[in-house]
Amino acid sequence: MWFENKVTEELKINYPIIQAGMAGGITTPELVAAVSNAGGLGTLGAGYLSPSAMSESIQKIKKLTTNPFGVNIFIPEFPDVSDEQLEKSNRLLEPFRKELNLSSKSFSKPSTSLFNEQIQVVLENKVPVCSFTFGIPPKETIQQLKKEQIIVIGTATTVKEAILNEENGMDMVVVQGSESGGHRGTFSGSFENAMIGTMALVPQVVDQVSIPVIAAGGIMDGRGVLASLVLGANAVQMGTAFVTSLESGATEHHKGAILNATEEQLVVTSSFSGKPARGIQNQFITEMRKHESSLPGYPVQNTLTKDIRSEAAKQNRPEWLSMWSGQSPRLSQKRSVKDIMDEIVVKVSGQVENISKKY
Ligand SMILES: Cc1cc2nc3c(=O)[nH]c(=O)nc-3n(C[C@H](O)[C@H](O)[C@H](O)COP(=O)(O)O)c2cc1C
């Protein structure tokens, strides 16, 4: 059957469909469990979660499903940021803060211990799958997780990054095409050169690595799933398609913006976080565009804009929110996870049957 392969076997899931771990409150326990209950792999986006919040969510997920699920974690980064850069960014953000009645922001350094604490939570809770983005975890971490039979999945945006994932012992790799919503996972080489479309990138990676490949970027329905399998991927990872689901914790602004967006409104910006990410064009992105190259790197800029983003959400100002989305917003649907998953399975099965009748 089209849905049986190495990935479904190793992850112990029915269908080769992974819901992307999406940090920032989107991946509610209800969303993660609904995907796993529908036969895919739900993933908790734990990138910004404290260890206690992470444990709490994992406990809730375990109450809602007995099927396997995953947790997604960020590889930490500590960019060099000058006082001048910090001052400049704060100066540029001041007008937004003023309009939102926010006081000036003092900057706190990124935590060095969060990553290790998050790994401990994954180990203690024996979460079946742990995926990473923004780099490759240290060898000791990979060994620790694998010793507990936890499957480790990396992210790559080029063939070279996929090879690095394999060489470092990752079990599988998500190949993130340039269509993808959210942050670019690029960790080796320039972001610009790593903007390669899913259709071009997936088969080139498949030819160069022997670990299973998971295609991501612009995949929203049965057509995208089947196309990815034909390109040699063993599974897909979908983000945007689940952001608009009923179980998602995305704000109504975010869901509505995706449901009403067209493909030419999706842009890549680093102005919210200091790292390029794809989202829906709005006033914040337009105004900050010319300053992007001089802003502090990730995660410093992300910390600086945090108060603006959360207050903008409270005050109904979507023009200043980050609304991540991939390049296929017209295919998004406001439906339950079960309906989205069932439709994909029915459509792929139908298409496979049609093809086999033809040939
Ligand atoms: C709202 C949103 C948040 C995301 N957050 C994460 C994240 O925390 N970790 C991660 O590995 N990928 C994240 N991604 C990227 C996904 O893993 C995946 O590459 C992307 O969603 C695929 O493209 P699509 O959105 O067109 O399906 C995010 C994507 C979106 C849309």
Side-chain angles (χ1 to χ4, degrees), residues 10 84-85 144 264 287:
E10 286 183 17
E84 270 172 354
Q85 269 180 310
Q144 259 183 318
E264 76 275 18
E287 285 192 15

Side-chain angles (χ1 to χ4, degrees), residues 2 12 37 77 110 125 165 176 191 201 266 312 332 343 351:
W2 65 266
K12 301 187 180 68
N37 284 334
E77 291 168 67
N125 287 281
N165 269 281
Q176 191 189 37
F191 284 101
L201 187 57
L266 277 310
S332 61
E343 187 180 334
Q351 283 171 9

Side-chain angles (χ1 to χ4, degrees), residues 14-320:
N14 290 342
Y15 304 112
I17 299 167
I18 300 174
Q19 164 250 311
M22 295 178 277
I26 295 170
T27 58
T28 57
E30 289 74 19
L31 171 61
V32 176
V35 175
S36 290
N37 284 334
L41 185 85
T43 311
L44 174 69
Y48 303 127
L49 290 184
S50 68
S52 60
M54 209 174 138
S55 290
E56 206 179 299
S57 294
I58 292 170
Q59 297 312 320
K60 282 190 189 153
I61 295 166
K62 284 185 171 174
K63 282 198 183 121
L64 296 169
T65 186
T66 50
N67 290 345
F69 65 94
V71 161
N72 177 265
I73 295 178
F74 296 159
I75 303 299
E77 291 168 67
F78 305 99
D80 282 332
V81 176
S82 67
D83 289 345
E84 270 172 354
Q85 269 180 310
L86 282 177
E87 262 169 48
K88 179 170 182 197
S89 179
N90 265 327
R91 218 178 323 119
L92 291 168
L93 297 174
E94 210 43 51
F96 302 104
R97 292 208 173 98
K98 215 168 167 191
E99 282 243 18
L100 291 164
N101 280 324
L102 286 167
S103 53
S104 291
K105 176 103 176 118
S106 63
F107 169 68
S108 56
K109 282 204 162 153
S111 153
T112 48
S113 58
L114 180 65
F115 176 77
N116 290 332
E117 290 164 10
Q118 290 175 329
I119 295 294
Q120 282 314 310
V121 174
V122 173
L123 289 166
E124 280 159 20
N125 287 281
K126 296 199 186 319
V127 177
V129 180
C130 190
S131 66
F132 297 89
T133 189
F134 307 158
I136 299 174
K139 280 227 157 91
E140 314 78 71
T141 309
I142 299 176
Q143 280 163 3
Q144 259 183 318
L145 292 165
K146 283 180 131 181
K147 215 171 125 209
E148 297 303 319
Q149 269 79 53
I150 294 168
I151 293 174
V152 286
I153 305 180
T155 300
T157 59
T158 59
V159 171
K160 183 180 157 201
E161 288 179 351
I163 293 171
L164 284 171
N165 269 281
E166 178 166 41
E167 284 174 353
N168 280 273
M170 303 303 280
D171 294 311
M172 301 175 185
V173 65
V174 171
V175 169
Q176 191 189 37
S178 56
E179 298 92 324
S180 297
H183 284 104
R184 302 294 300 147
T186 305
F187 61 91
S188 163
S190 85
F191 284 101
E192 291 81 11
N193 295 349
M195 290 299 283
I196 303 150
T198 310
M199 185 124 183
L201 187 57
V202 169
Q204 296 189 76
V205 172
V206 167
D207 282 352
Q208 299 292 329
V209 299
S210 45
I211 52 174
V213 165
I214 299 159
I219 304 161
M220 307 283 285
D221 59 19
R223 294 170 293 185
V225 172
L226 183 56
S228 303
L229 298 176
V230 171
L231 293 176
N234 280 129
V236 299
Q237 175 157 293
M238 305 190 331
T240 307
F242 291 111
V243 176
T244 56
S245 69
L246 301 182
E247 292 87 344
S248 143
T251 62
E252 287 308 315
H253 281 306
H254 191 177
K255 290 185 183 184
I258 294 177
L259 290 163
N260 292 308
T262 56
E263 66 288 355
E264 76 275 18
Q265 292 172 308
L266 277 310
V267 294
V268 174
T269 179
S270 55
S271 52
F272 282 111
S273 69
K275 186 190 278 294
R278 186 178 291 287
I280 298 171
Q281 170 101 48
N282 63 7
Q283 194 200 344
F284 186 90
I285 297 175
T286 310
E287 285 192 15
M288 296 291 283
R289 178 67 83 198
K290 56 181 175 295
H291 307 290
E292 268 186 5
S293 57
S294 60
L295 295 173
Y298 179 91
V300 176
Q301 179 69 5
N302 198 52
T303 316
L304 291 178
T305 62
K306 194 174 172 208
D307 58 340
I308 295 173
R309 287 178 283 123
S310 44
E311 192 57 32
K314 279 186 211 150
Q315 293 189 25
N316 277 337
R317 306 295 298 258
E319 65 272 32
W320 299 334

